[in-house]
Amino acid sequence: MCGIVGAVAHRNVSNILITGLKRLEYRGYDSAGVALLNKDGLQRVRRQGKVAALEQAAREAGATGFTGIAHTRWATHGRPSEENAHPHMSGNGLALVHNGIIENFQELKEELEQDGYRFESETDTEVVVHLVHQELEKRGDLFSALQHTVKRLHGAYALAVIHESEPDHLVAVRSGSPLVVGLGIDENYVASDHLALLPVTNRFLFLDEGDLVDVRADQVTVTDVNGEPVSRKEHQFDSTHEDAEKGEYRHYMQKEIFEQPAAIQRTLEGRIDSPQAVSEAFGEQAAAIFDRVKSVQIVACGTSYHAGMVARYWMEALAGIPCQVEVASEFRYRQHVVPEGTLFVTISQSGETADTLAALRDTHTSEYVGRLAVCNVDGSSLVRESELTFLTKAGPEIGVASTKAFTTQLAGLLMLVLALGRRKGLTDERIESVLDELRQLPNLLEQAASLDTPIRELSRAFVEKNHTLFLGRGVHFPVAMEGALKLKEISYIHAEAYPAGELKHGPLALVDKEMPVVAVAPNDELLEKLKSNLQEVRARGGELYLFADKKAKVTAGEGIHVLTMPAVPEIIAPIVYTVPLQLLSYHVAVLRGTDVDQPRNLAKSVTVE
Ligand code: G6P
């Protein structure tokens, strides 16, 4: 969804900008650009393709400046091309970068064309830079030009602007798209995500919706929409920027898969010491709100939605609490009934997903007992706008396909089920036994990840295929969905997941030797039923790939390939069985030669509708 970086310093900022863009590439990577102010005025370099292409072009052009803005794009309006890449300019001296969508750009464009402005791109963004130019002519300074421009915009945006006649600062605004301010020593910055700036600072201001900011090398001024100064709390991050480096791994996704034991360890640490202590991880108000909960509504997108689906099985089976789960883009646009005593739960790695955030904001007109965000980013919009938060401590996740965020979300959601269940008669003894299972997770995830080599072997069978079916039963159906999502996201193989019992109601028609069928078959109460479903596949000549433990007693044979998993306690099995599916997709994608960390057409943080 595009990434923005801006910097003002007493030194050349081009490296800060390009490094920042590389760290934001997960947000979009079809074109990139930079604009810098130096003694000769404004210098702009743009390139189609990844930030590496821009880096080389900027080096060749000798692009330098003490003040600058930069952008990596994920196309919404207008195809990926150099003309559509940001920064956009008006005249020779004004440049602007934008993340988001301007909904009324068509009307604004017509007005501006009547006023004599000429458009060089197909983007919605170009109207904004011309509007700033128009306001600048009227008002004479960049800050008030931006302040008056935003009054005319509808939609979601984070904007950063520079002008050659005011070379010692940049101005920026946040409304509907994320933007943070980084505080350095005699230099300051803005970016779509604090990750971009970790190489230069660990001190940040998170802007509120509607905030404008004037960034100078030695001063940062934040104001509300009316230009009234406001103060925003400073956050300090402990994690060093090495967290976001690939290290010895070939891809971020691979690193993040193998980081899962440690990520879960961090997420659980100090939070599962006793059944009584579990609710403390959800915030100060948790106990009072949880006491009133009679049902749960979960809303999320993508992988986070799958985590919610797993949680629903746990919530109803363990805590006996009715639980609904829905994708945010549907939930927010339909009329729904809110049962009395409903807790509204959002799940999100980034905390900035536009549909999830919009669904949360809509809840303020409904009678929920409270709002809980299960989220990986402290200070993100979802966290700030919810009364309760469970912070998953997965660390930065860079690969577009989500891995460690998912498994840490599941750990947090299982804790939520225990905290709520305790109020509904789940005994401390039962809770203690689930906590024991949770304590075994890092070790079991380690064992699952150690199956990397046999899974890599298995992956060869998928490389030439165009379709794959994933099957699971019960709580393992959403695990199968997550497996299918991973495969399609990064290997571009069409993959679908079915609850195994539904096979005979349609998808069986597709099964032949060209359609591999992957089944998640832990040794649980539905195993025997699943085995019958698998016979249906074999009888049609389908090749089966089973992920099962020894006790499941499934033996490999003609057309049946078995990957033997460690024995896993039943409740936490969905978390452990996720790992081999992640590895399978990873290896298939590597063998197919796709761009694993930045698959085509996708972006990690979807901050537009
Ligand atoms: C995008 C990402 C997915 C992610 C989804 C929800 O589609 O590519 O990996 O699951 O957004 O993101 P969130 O940050 O809300 O979990």
Side-chain angles (χ1 to χ4, degrees), residues 301-304 347-353 356 400-402 409 485-486 489 602-606:
C301 302
T303 290
S304 298
I347 309 172
S348 173
Q349 189 284 125
S350 61
E352 301 292 351
T353 301
T356 312
V400 164
S402 187
Q409 284 165 352
L485 177 63
K486 289 287 85 88
E489 278 179 315
L602 301 179
K604 183 146 194 78
S605 185
V606 183

Side-chain angles (χ1 to χ4, degrees), residues 139-151:
R139 298 173 201 280
D141 78 279
L142 192 58
F143 189 84
S144 47
L146 180 64
Q147 192 191 345
H148 286 86
T149 298
V150 297
K151 293 185 177 154

Side-chain angles (χ1 to χ4, degrees), residues 249 254 257-258 445-459 547 563-565 579-580 582-588 590:
Y249 292 96
Q254 185 189 27
I257 292 172
F258 282 93
L445 291 174
E446 196 90 58
Q447 290 182 42
S450 73
L451 298 169
D452 189 43
T453 308
I455 294 172
R456 194 172 60 216
E457 285 307 307
L458 212 65
S459 68
F547 293 80
L563 188 105
T564 308
M565 291 284 292
V579 175
Q582 295 168 341
L583 285 169
L584 178 68
S585 300
Y586 173 73
H587 288 300
V588 176
V590 170

Side-chain angles (χ1 to χ4, degrees), residues 2-6 13-34 49-59 70-73 191-199 241 244-246 252 256 396-400 595 597-598 604:
C2 308
I4 290 178
V5 195
V13 295
S14 60
N15 271 343
I16 300 175
L17 298 178
I18 302 270
T19 306
L21 284 189
K22 284 187 176 165
R23 299 167 70 89
L24 289 181
E25 252 188 331
Y26 73 85
R27 302 179 65 85
Y29 33 82
D30 60 43
S31 51
V34 59
K50 296 204 171 183
V51 176
L54 173 71
E55 182 177 31
Q56 194 185 340
R59 201 180 313 118
H71 186 272
T72 179
R73 180 165 185 252
S192 301
D193 181 335
H194 74 279
L195 267 185
L197 301 173
L198 283 179
H241 71 274
E245 304 292 335
K246 235 182 293 184
Y252 283 111
E256 288 158 6
E397 191 182 66
I398 311 289
V400 164
D595 191 340
D597 286 329
Q598 295 174 344
K604 183 146 194 78

Side-chain angles (χ1 to χ4, degrees), residues 4 296 519 532 537:
I4 290 178
V296 173
S532 321
V537 172

